Amino acid sequence: MTYQFARIDLSKTNYIKSVDWRYITDRTPEMLARLDDIYRTYCIYKHFASVMPMFHGRYTDPQADIIGYYDNDQLVAWSLIRRFDEHNALCDQFAWTYHRSKLRLGIETMKTECAIYKQRGFKYLYLEQAHLYKQDIDGFEILGPLE
């Protein structure tokens, strides 16, 4: 099994915020349960053979932003972005309900996140796994070995 890490060079992007989004600052047990429900729905829909648990500490980490995505004012997806410093952040986890797959939220949320973090002055969004569909995002780069 090969594993490639990737990032998006935000200086090479010019995306707009194309979906209805809001920061989720509510970290109540009810909100965390809603995020867990969306994650569970996402993992079941995708038939993932191996799943990383969503420990609540990942949501409540002070270096983490949770971005909620909405359809008809209903929370249907979220992204967990972990800020390393003022220029670099990791797209740690994404999940959505697939209630209307034609929305293509996986791609549209990545473009929106590029716009959000570029506007905030970040230089790179790290993606960890270099999935094929992510290669169509402007500024996509595969990371090489350490020298």
Side-chain angles (χ1 to χ4, degrees), residues 21-27 65-68 70 116-117 120:
W21 70 278
R22 292 169 227 149
Y23 289 111
I24 296 175
T25 56
D26 177 0
R27 301 299 203 271
D65 296 326
I66 303 173
I67 300 174
Y70 297 81
I116 292 168
Y117 285 87
R120 287 177 60 180

Side-chain angles (χ1 to χ4, degrees), residues 43-96:
C43 292
I44 290 169
Y45 179 88
K46 297 292 278 185
H47 303 286
F48 291 138
S50 178
V51 177
M52 176 68 177
M54 280 305 300
F55 302 105
H56 285 183
R58 290 173 73 189
Y59 298 131
T60 59
D61 181 341
Q63 293 301 109
D65 296 326
I66 303 173
I67 300 174
Y69 296 98
Y70 297 81
D71 185 38
N72 294 320
D73 212 34
Q74 296 295 312
L75 179 64
V76 297
W78 55 264
S79 286
L80 180 70
I81 311 291
R82 188 166 318 283
R83 291 170 276 108
F84 296 127
D85 56 35
E86 67 275 5
H87 298 295
N88 300 284
L90 170 68
C91 297
D92 187 11
Q93 185 62 59
F94 169 77
W96 76 297

